[in-house]
């Protein structure tokens, strides 16, 4: 008899699950809270983190699934379950080929180092976005949606927010919509994304993402409040993992600005540098969070300000997401005028205005300028252009790790994407995939592309398990 599967959420994980379940012979109902499909996935750069792919081979890059697993284990300090890392590493390699069959192309020359690894593993897609979003994430959603639309077995209903699970005799047998309507099925796949837009959920499961009050905001859709996580926990599911990905921001406005220009140095409250300012966004907010007060200041001088363009943004990896720079001349001058950017005729004055230790800042900048003159950052070995800070007035911009990219904690699953209860047993009829799950990240982001990769891998896995064809 044909199995009926309900998928909650039509982002990357949900659409992958729907397609895979249909291909395994099931009839699928996808319930999506938003007006359109795509979720956070459609807003994303669309990088997929994968090893040992034909794309890498075409660039002459030697890599392997074992090396990827070893890398994950190291970055997460052996916190993650090997069975999940293995499913992820093998599955993402398969996903690259699967998406290619669906019309995505991967250009070997666009592979890039998306984390802290040596071998480039960030795969950037090329394809049609169908107007679903700005960049690669929308290309992936569009490819999945086109394939799903070609299958009669799948029905997608938007504006259909699921409010609860229907459980009978300990078995999940359906979903209850917000309007009270009940849909029954043989299994339910929770694919409703993270909880970046859920203030209460954040306070409970990731308090660090509420530490800076109204500085915090979420890059994904408003619908990602953690409904599915709440339902999974209410069904007896276990919460696993913690934290998430933050980006530092000067809070000039709700601007998605992942990359800062090279002419800044970052100092903490003591006035000390603490990092190579060009380090990857995977680790930067974590390092800022470890400084006193969890904040830092970007310091620059008037000579730098005079070289800044009036508009434009940095996009070093060519992600083409909706970036809007905080670091344009027009915006900086407006914020200087408003007193948000602190100014001073001397370094001591700007330090006092910002609440930074003046002696520390003066000594740091002296040391920095000597390094610039010598052409080498002798402390943090900063890459690229080194710019002196010697022409007043001087400026200091407070930065906090406050923009929420995605959440890492969520439902504990096994490598068949079954939701596990607090004793580690599968809850019958309940699967989960994507950002709703925990246990696939430690507290440092392993690399751009792990989230979408895992959403697709575990979406497919959940579908196969649900249909009983794994
Ligand atoms: C701007 C941005 C850029 C990013 N760039 C990358 C990148 O390049 N590479 C990478 O790996 N990761 C990236 N990420 C993270 C990544 O996009 C997400 O972690 C991943 O796509 C999550 O996929 P998902 O399917 O689990 O959730 P989503 O794609 O968010 O889908 C969840 C869906 O569930 C729906 N939903 C929620 N609640 C309910 C409910 N109660 N009933 C019905 N439906 C519901 C939501 O409306 C949403 O459509 C980025 C994130 C953002 C926001």
């Amino acid at each position: 008899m044909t199995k009926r599967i309900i998928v909650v959420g039509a982002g990357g994980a949900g659409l992958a699950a729907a397609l895979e379940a249909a291909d395994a012979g099931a009839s699928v109902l996808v319930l999506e809270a938003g007006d359109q499909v795509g979720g956070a996935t459609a807003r994303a750069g669309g990088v997929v983190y994968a090893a040992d792919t034909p794309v890498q081979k075409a660039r002459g890059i030697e890599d392997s699934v074992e090396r990827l697993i070893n890398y994950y284990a190291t970055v997460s300090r052996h916190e993650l379950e090997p069975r999940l890392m293995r499913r992820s590493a093998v599955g993402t390699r398969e996903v690259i080929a699967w998406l290619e069959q669906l019309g995505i192309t991967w250009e070997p020359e666009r592979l890039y180092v998306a984390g802290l690894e040596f071998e480039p593993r960030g795969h950037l897609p090329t394809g049609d976005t169908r107007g679903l979003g700005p960049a690669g994430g929308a290309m992936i959603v569009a490819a999945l949606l086109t394939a799903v639309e070609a299958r009669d077995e799948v029905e997608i209903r938007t504006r259909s927010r699921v409010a609860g699970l229907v459980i009978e005799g300990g078995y999940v047998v359906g979903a209850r919509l917000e309007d009270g309507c009940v849909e029954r099925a043989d299994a339910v796949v929770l694919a409703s994304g993270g909880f970046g837009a859920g203030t209460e959920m954040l306070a409970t499961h990731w308090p660090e993402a509420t530490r800076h009050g109204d500085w915090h905001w979420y890059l994904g859709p408003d619908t990602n409040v953690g409904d599915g996580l709440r339902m999974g926990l209410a069904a007896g599911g276990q919460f696993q993992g913690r934290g998430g990905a933050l980006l530092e921001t000067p809070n000039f406005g709700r601007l998605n600005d992942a990359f800062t220009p090279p002419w800044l140095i970052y100092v903490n409250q003591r006035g000390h540098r603490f990092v190579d300012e060009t380090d990857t966004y995977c680790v930067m907010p974590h390092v800022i969070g470890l400084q006193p007060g969890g904040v830092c200041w970007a310091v620059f001088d008037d000579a730098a300000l005079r070289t800044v363009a009036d508009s434009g943004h940095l996009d070093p990896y060519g992600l083409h997401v909706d970036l809007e720079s905080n670091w344009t001349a027009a915006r900086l001058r407006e914020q200087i005028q408003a007193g948000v950017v602190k100014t001073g005729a001397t370094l001591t004055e700007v330090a006092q205005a910002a609440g930074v230790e003046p002696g520390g800042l003066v000594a740091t900048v002296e040391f920095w300028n000597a390094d610039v003159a010598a052409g080498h950052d002798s402390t943090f070995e900063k890459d690229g252009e080194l710019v002196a800070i010697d022409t007043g007035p001087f400026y200091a911009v407070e930065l906090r790790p406050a923009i929420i990219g995605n959440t890492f904690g969520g439902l504990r699953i096994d490598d068949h994407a079954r939701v596990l209860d607090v004793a580690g047993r599968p809850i019958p009829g309940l699967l989960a995939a994507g950002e709703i799950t925990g246990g696939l990240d430690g507290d440092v982001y392993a690399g751009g592309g792990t989230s979408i990769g895992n959403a697709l891998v575990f979406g497919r896995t959940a579908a196969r398990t649900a249909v009983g064809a794994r």
Side-chain angles (χ1 to χ4, degrees):
M1 211 177 72
T2 304
K3 291 222 170 130
R4 186 173 198 242
I5 310 294
I6 289 177
V7 176
V8 182
L15 290 174
L19 182 56
E20 193 75 33
D23 286 351
S27 106
V28 187
L29 173 62
V30 183
L31 298 167
E32 164 55 50
D35 296 344
Q36 69 163 43
V37 304
T41 313
R43 302 184 184 201
V47 193
V48 178
Y49 196 80
D52 192 28
T53 65
V55 193
Q56 283 184 316
K57 289 199 177 88
R59 261 260 304 261
I61 297 163
E62 280 292 319
D63 202 1
S64 71
V65 160
E66 293 310 318
R67 268 152 85 162
L68 177 52
I69 293 171
N70 189 32
Y71 169 76
Y72 270 136
T74 308
V75 170
S76 67
R77 288 171 294 180
H78 293 257
E79 256 188 76
L80 309 183
E81 292 176 19
R83 61 178 172 174
L84 294 185
M85 291 189 285
R86 182 162 301 281
R87 182 85 282 278
S88 163
V90 172
T92 42
R93 183 179 57 187
E94 293 165 358
V95 153
I96 294 295
W98 186 61
L99 287 176
E100 212 165 73
Q101 287 164 19
L102 301 179
I104 294 289
T105 52
W106 312 98
E107 291 156 23
E109 55 282 5
R110 292 181 74 209
L111 274 173
Y112 76 102
V113 173
L116 304 165
E117 76 279 13
F118 293 111
E119 312 82 352
R121 294 188 178 130
H123 291 64
L124 268 169
T126 304
D128 181 8
T129 64
R130 287 184 54 181
L132 291 164
M139 293 169 196
I140 291 173
V141 169
L144 292 170
L145 183 63
T146 302
V148 161
E149 284 170 347
R151 283 150 178 88
D152 293 338
E153 302 88 344
V154 185
E155 180 194 353
I156 300 179
R157 278 188 220 155
T158 53
R159 295 184 200 158
S160 301
R161 182 180 181 188
V162 174
L165 295 171
V166 181
I167 304 174
E168 289 172 2
Y171 205 102
V172 177
V173 293
R176 187 171 38 78
L177 282 105
E178 205 173 26
D179 62 7
C181 176
V182 167
E183 291 289 346
R184 297 184 71 86
D186 295 290
V188 174
V189 177
L190 292 174
S192 54
F195 54 91
T199 316
E200 282 171 30
M201 282 288 209
L202 289 170
T204 307
H205 297 295
W206 187 19
E208 196 193 337
T210 60
R211 177 182 187 183
H212 298 295
D214 60 10
W215 278 59
H216 289 286
W217 61 282
Y218 171 53
L219 287 171
D222 295 344
T223 41
N224 284 0
V225 290
D227 283 344
L229 175 57
R230 180 179 43 72
M231 290 177 232
L233 294 176
Q238 189 184 136
F239 188 88
Q240 189 176 38
R242 65 185 181 285
L246 294 170
L247 296 173
E248 74 264 30
T249 174
N251 202 24
F252 292 164
R254 301 217 146 177
L255 310 178
N256 177 7
D257 187 17
F259 309 108
T260 46
W263 37 267
L264 304 169
I265 61 164
Y266 289 3
V267 299
N268 61 21
Q269 280 175 354
R270 299 189 191 109
H272 298 163
R273 280 182 76 221
F274 53 91
V275 74
D276 166 358
E277 293 81 356
T278 60
D279 253 358
T280 164
Y281 65 91
C282 297
V283 295
M284 186 62 84
H286 178 74
V287 180
I288 295 172
L290 295 175
Q291 302 311 305
V295 304
C296 75
W297 281 263
V299 175
F300 58 100
D301 71 359
D302 205 55
L305 181 59
R306 278 187 268 115
T307 65
V308 183
D310 266 332
S311 62
H313 62 257
L314 293 161
D315 186 7
Y317 306 119
L319 298 176
H320 302 296
V321 283
D322 269 338
L323 295 170
E324 214 181 330
S325 182
N326 290 292
W327 308 97
T328 62
R331 193 156 277 133
L332 286 168
R333 289 192 190 286
E334 180 190 291
Q335 297 298 327
I336 290 166
Q337 197 70 33
V340 175
V341 174
K342 305 299 177 196
T343 59
T346 63
L347 286 165
T348 300
E349 273 180 33
V350 77
Q352 282 163 342
V356 169
E357 173 59 45
L361 181 65
V362 170
T364 295
V365 172
E366 244 173 56
F367 196 85
W368 169 252
N369 287 341
D371 270 359
V372 174
H376 174 60
D377 171 9
S378 61
T379 313
F380 293 103
E381 303 189 350
K382 180 174 179 171
D383 272 342
E385 194 187 356
L386 306 182
V387 180
I389 299 174
D390 54 11
T391 312
F394 300 94
Y395 306 99
V397 179
E398 185 176 354
L399 297 177
R400 301 188 188 190
I403 300 178
I404 299 168
N406 53 334
T407 52
F408 291 167
L411 295 172
R412 183 175 173 212
I413 54 167
D414 65 10
D415 50 338
H416 302 297
R418 298 179 294 194
V419 176
L420 302 179
D421 69 12
V422 286
R425 292 172 305 223
I427 298 173
L430 190 60
L431 297 307
E435 210 179 307
I436 189 177
T437 63
L440 285 151
D441 299 275
D443 50 10
V444 168
Y445 199 35
T450 53
S451 311
I452 291 185
N454 284 329
L456 301 175
V457 167
F458 285 93
R460 299 182 75 199
T461 306
R464 280 187 234 130
T465 305
V467 183
R470 66 181 135 88

